[in-house]
Amino acid sequence: MDLGTVILAMGGLAFLGLGTQPPSPDWGLMVSDGRTYILDQWWIATFPGLAIFVVVLAFNLIGDTLRDIFDPRQYK
């Protein structure tokens, strides 16, 4: 249910340099590396950021849907 929060936390830590280190691929690390090229080549940082946004949104929507389906207190 909280997988979106975990992905967001991992991306934030990698962005700050506290997560995975450079040979390992990570979306937060990709956004961090793209900061230096943001004015000329905006897509280097934008697309990994959009991927984080879409995946976190999808997991949150899936979690809410599963909670609505399997919540026994909903049918009172």
Side-chain angles (χ1 to χ4, degrees):
M1 292 282 206
D2 290 333
L3 193 57
T5 305
V6 171
I7 291 172
L8 200 56
M10 286 178 51
L13 287 173
F15 180 80
L16 295 173
L18 300 173
T20 57
Q21 296 304 313
S24 301
D26 189 78
W27 284 333
L29 191 59
M30 290 178 193
V31 173
S32 178
D33 290 342
R35 284 185 308 165
T36 57
Y37 308 109
I38 196 73
L39 295 177
D40 298 329
Q41 299 160 346
W42 54 270
W43 56 88
I44 295 175
T46 303
F47 289 128
L50 284 175
I52 293 170
F53 173 75
V54 168
V55 169
V56 168
L57 180 67
F59 277 121
N60 282 332
L61 291 176
I62 290 169
D64 287 344
T65 303
L66 288 174
R67 185 195 61 223
D68 290 343
I69 291 171
F70 294 117
D71 189 15
R73 290 177 279 163
Q74 178 183 0
Y75 299 111
K76 282 188 174 183

